[in-house]
Amino acid sequence: MGRYLGLDLGGTNIKVAVLEVGGDGELEVIATASGPTEADAGPPRVLARLAEIGHDALGRWGPVERAGVGVPGLFDQVSGTIEMFPNLPGPWRGQPMLRSLTAALGVPVSIINDARAFTLAETRLGAARGCSTVV
């Protein structure tokens, strides 16, 4: 059994979900929340907001084993730096998202493209559950 934090970075809001995985592999949503992204303030503020919102969730529903962040663009999978966010203003290229969030949250963090995250969620929990192919 384990508890996990999920963050979804959007242009307007950052959404949060805390999930618990039971011994049988079943997932239970423990809590959901959201807060403003404050994207107009630029990349450093958005990264700070992710950390603030994630830290708040950990304080309320933690501890967790890991955190995952769905992001709206491209990133370097090895370094965790951002390559391009088409819907967030500012100079995102080269921003060290993975390193800064891991340090801020104190747990291992993974980054995934948000469209891939949604597809994975549908496959595991939604309408595509049990399907071998999802489009």
Side-chain angles (χ1 to χ4, degrees), residues 45-129:
R45 181 64 188 143
V46 172
L47 291 174
R49 287 295 295 150
L50 277 165
E52 290 166 5
I53 290 170
H55 200 274
D56 179 60
L58 293 177
R60 295 170 71 184
W61 304 296
V64 300
E65 292 183 28
R66 298 187 62 86
V69 183
V71 298
L74 304 175
F75 58 94
D76 182 285
Q77 291 185 359
V78 174
S79 68
T81 59
I82 304 307
E83 296 291 326
M84 177 188 70
F85 280 176
N87 66 331
L88 292 171
W92 279 98
R93 187 176 183 88
Q95 290 291 328
M97 177 177 273
L98 185 61
R99 185 177 68 225
S100 65
L101 284 179
T102 299
L105 298 177
V107 296
V109 175
S110 298
I111 301 173
I112 185 171
N113 173 271
D114 57 4
R116 290 177 187 241
F118 300 146
T119 304
L120 180 60
E122 277 299 324
T123 302
R124 295 232 176 131
L125 302 169
R129 188 177 212 171

Side-chain angles (χ1 to χ4, degrees), residues 3-5 16-20 30-34 53-64:
R3 198 168 274 202
Y4 301 89
L5 171 66
V16 178
V18 177
L19 302 173
E20 194 162 88
I30 302 299
T32 61
S34 68
I53 290 170
H55 200 274
D56 179 60
L58 293 177
R60 295 170 71 184
W61 304 296
V64 300

